[in-house]
Amino acid sequence: METQILIFGIALPVIVGMVFSAWQIFRPKPYDSNIYFGLGISATLFASAMSQDSLANFTTQNRWLWFPLSIILLGALSAISCVLLRCRSATIRNLVVFASVVPAALLLKIPEWEHFTNRFILGVGAAIFAALLTIIVQKRNGFSIPMAFSFALVAPCALAILSGFAKLAVPIAAVSCCLGFLSLVRLLRKSQTQTRDFVGLSGGVVVATIAALGVATGFGYDTKNIPLTAWILAAIAPLGICLGEFAPIRSRPTLLAWSHIIGCIVLAATAILITVVAFNSSERLG
Amino acid sequence: MFLSLTPTLAFAISTLLVLSAITQQMPTTTVPATSATTAPNQVSTAATSWKIDDTHSMVLFRVQHFGAGMFWGRFDGVTGSISTSGNPMQTLTMNVTIDTNSVSSANENLDGHLRSPDFFSVKEFPTMTFVSASAKKINGDMWEVTGDLTMHGVTKIITTNVEMTGQSESARGKKIGFETTFTIDRSQFGMTYGIEKNSIGKSVRIIVALEAESP
């Protein structure tokens, strides 16, 4: 029953993500995080999504599966870009990885996003969002960033459940769990590892894109008219880490770490609260 | 003069009488098959087109919940056309369209879940259709109808027994009713949510009750 969702929808995909991402923790190399973290997170989402739906007529009958497919392709593309461009300047590498968000958004062929122009605008918006997020992510190597992202992704997950789209909620929940576990691993390994950037370029881009495209998918299929404000807040919830970047806070490491987490929690909780207030409760059939 | 015209006039009169008699003996072919004025034993092949009455037609479905009780839901938006011919009915064709957004379980929150991609994915697949390919009269008012059922983007051939429940003509026009019950395996239509965890059954019993009117 519910145990099967926990095993195949959450636990096994999280292990897949951990195996990829933990490589960076135990075998740090200058560009490792730019490969393994993004790959790990996208693999978690993809594996979990595959456990949720019939693979017959993959992405034609179940078009929401374009979302996990676009994310795994983005994870691979960003990793390949980081490897191929590791000798180039960071600016070129960043631009190439950010630009790869646009084709990921163009792959979404779901209700409300049928028009190319809409998907292109979504892709450009997601790329800018990913760029903003990555500026901070690449500066911070502590456990607080993945922990903050873990809480931020609770918002799109909760909105998906409240809109009645449980199949979308499970993969996002799996990513959230994976990020949570990785932050704990990072916390435990803090003294032994001096990783320059933990989540890294590909990790930051993949998390930002999961939030943006995940919310776009949920919004596209929403028949319960969840307020647009709630969807937007859920999409930008990872930007809550900006709270820690204010001058009085960033000089104090403990406060900085907590501010990253609290900023994301506040945005995520607000999105959920707006939805819950909009309609009192939600029931699911099974 | 008069006498010379007599044979011609007699021939003309007799010709008219014969033609009149022949005309009266000819069968009427323009009377509709379902007309109340048609003699009971008279077989007619004229086709009648019927438009499904959305208000008085519905589709019910029943599925097992957590291996225990039966959960019922319905679709109110049923449209389409039916074509019959003959009296008694000799042929039957059906083209039924169901608005998936009209799904109702008498609980608004559950309806939202039923409309989501977990089940009917109404934004992606706004309609379900049944188009009959053949119909064979079994006995009386029972018909064996075979056709394409398209649901959730998948088309499968199904065969079901359809009963013509009644036919009437009143001041509100001519009406005809049909009812059928059949069971589908929803996983064959790519609707798999809840099957693995056994929260929602795989078999769904569907009851279709149609009322149609002829313009």
Side-chain angles (χ1 to χ4, degrees):
Chain A
M1 303 250 182
E2 304 295 339
T3 317
Q4 285 182 314
I5 287 185
L6 280 174
I7 294 170
F8 296 106
I10 306 283
L12 290 178
V14 166
I15 291 168
V16 170
M18 295 278 287
V19 168
F20 273 102
S21 310
W23 192 264
Q24 164 61 24
I25 298 169
F26 297 103
R27 297 282 301 275
K29 286 179 184 174
Y31 58 87
D32 268 0
S33 64
N34 294 329
I35 305 166
Y36 298 113
F37 209 98
L39 265 181
I41 296 301
S42 56
T44 302
L45 184 91
F46 188 76
S48 178
M50 292 305 100
S51 75
Q52 291 302 299
D53 219 329
S54 165
L55 296 183
N57 305 318
F58 175 64
T59 68
T60 53
Q61 185 183 311
N62 304 300
R63 287 191 290 163
W64 77 277
L65 291 172
W66 278 110
F67 163 58
L69 185 62
S70 67
I71 295 297
I72 191 80
L73 291 175
L74 172 70
L77 199 60
S78 59
I80 292 166
S81 304
C82 290
V83 172
L84 293 179
L85 301 170
R86 64 180 182 273
C87 300
R88 305 274 176 181
S89 74
T91 311
I92 293 171
R93 196 166 57 234
N94 287 359
L95 284 174
V96 169
V97 175
F98 298 150
S100 60
V101 176
V102 179
L106 288 175
L107 283 176
L108 289 187
K109 288 175 186 167
I110 55 176
E112 310 288 345
W113 300 102
E114 281 99 350
H115 295 292
F116 177 87
T117 315
N118 290 353
R119 294 201 303 276
F120 183 75
I121 292 168
L122 174 70
V124 172
I128 293 167
F129 170 48
L132 286 172
L133 207 64
T134 310
I135 289 168
I136 301 166
V137 165
Q138 286 184 304
K139 284 200 296 184
R140 308 291 172 203
N141 68 345
F143 78 99
S144 62
I145 295 292
M147 181 70 85
F149 286 163
S150 172
F151 283 112
L153 288 180
V154 170
C157 177
L159 262 60
I161 288 177
L162 290 168
S163 71
F165 196 171
K167 282 193 294 198
L168 175 67
V170 173
I172 298 174
V175 172
S176 179
C177 284
C178 186
L179 287 164
F181 281 120
L182 285 168
S183 70
L184 293 178
V185 173
R186 179 75 187 93
L187 192 63
L188 295 172
R189 293 279 303 177
K190 193 176 179 181
S191 57
Q192 289 102 330
T193 313
Q194 295 300 320
T195 314
R196 189 171 58 83
D197 53 347
F198 176 51
V199 174
L201 173 62
S202 73
V205 168
V206 167
V207 169
T209 312
I210 286 172
L213 300 193
V215 162
T217 305
F219 171 76
Y221 284 100
D222 178 29
T223 54
K224 296 184 86 174
N225 299 321
I226 287 176
L228 183 62
T229 325
W231 287 115
I232 293 170
L233 276 173
I236 62 164
L239 275 181
I241 58 170
C242 292
L243 184 66
E245 300 307 312
F246 288 106
I249 297 171
R250 66 180 175 209
S251 56
R252 298 157 72 181
T254 310
L255 191 59
L256 173 71
W258 280 109
S259 300
H260 286 150
I261 296 165
I262 289 167
C264 289
I265 289 175
V266 168
L267 285 175
T270 309
I272 296 165
L273 196 64
I274 288 170
T275 311
V276 172
V277 169
F279 46 91
N280 292 331
S281 63
S282 180
E283 290 175 47
R284 290 190 300 110
L285 182 65
Chain B
M1 174 85 179
F2 178 76
L3 287 173
S4 63
L5 287 173
T6 303
T8 310
L9 197 63
F11 176 74
I13 291 168
S14 61
T15 305
L16 282 170
L17 286 170
V18 169
L19 281 171
S20 171
I22 291 168
T23 310
Q24 283 183 349
Q25 290 296 318
M26 277 174 71
T28 305
T29 53
T30 53
V31 178
T34 51
S35 169
T37 57
T38 307
N41 295 327
Q42 198 168 2
V43 174
S44 171
T45 54
T48 307
S49 295
W50 306 85
K51 185 186 171 199
I52 292 173
D53 176 4
D54 186 18
T55 311
H56 299 103
S57 300
M58 69 180 73
V59 174
L60 301 169
F61 62 90
R62 192 195 80 164
V63 64
Q64 196 166 33
H65 185 240
F66 275 107
M70 290 298 173
F71 175 84
W72 285 86
R74 61 186 273 178
F75 292 94
D76 296 319
V78 185
T79 54
S81 60
I82 295 168
S83 181
T84 62
S85 71
N87 189 5
M89 210 160 70
Q90 299 300 308
T91 63
L92 171 65
T93 59
M94 294 181 152
N95 193 332
V96 184
T97 302
I98 299 158
D99 174 12
T100 51
N101 201 39
S102 70
V103 67
S104 169
S105 64
N107 182 315
E108 203 175 314
N109 291 319
L110 287 183
D111 295 346
H113 194 206
L114 287 168
R115 289 188 187 107
S116 79
D118 288 353
F119 293 99
F120 294 102
S121 192
V122 302
K123 282 200 170 180
E124 210 167 344
F125 309 111
T127 59
M128 285 192 283
T129 59
F130 175 76
V131 180
S132 67
S134 66
K136 189 173 74 183
K137 195 169 192 172
I138 302 171
N139 56 55
D141 292 325
M142 290 299 289
W143 289 74
E144 186 185 84
V145 179
T146 301
D148 292 334
L149 176 67
T150 303
M151 186 173 85
H152 206 252
V154 180
T155 301
K156 296 276 176 194
I157 296 170
I158 63 159
T159 298
T160 179
N161 288 346
V162 177
E163 181 190 3
M164 191 197 72
T165 52
Q167 195 173 357
S168 72
E169 184 172 3
S170 68
R172 296 174 72 177
K174 289 185 285 183
K175 292 185 182 295
I176 193 166
F178 293 94
E179 190 176 279
T180 182
T181 302
F182 57 96
T183 302
I184 58 161
D185 174 352
R186 66 186 175 98
S187 68
Q188 290 187 348
F189 292 86
M191 202 184 289
T192 54
Y193 183 85
I195 291 175
E196 277 189 6
K197 55 178 178 163
N198 199 30
S199 60
I200 316 287
K202 189 160 71 170
S203 294
V204 182
R205 184 180 293 177
I206 297 172
I207 300 169
V208 182
L210 301 175
E211 186 173 294
E213 53 198 3
S214 182

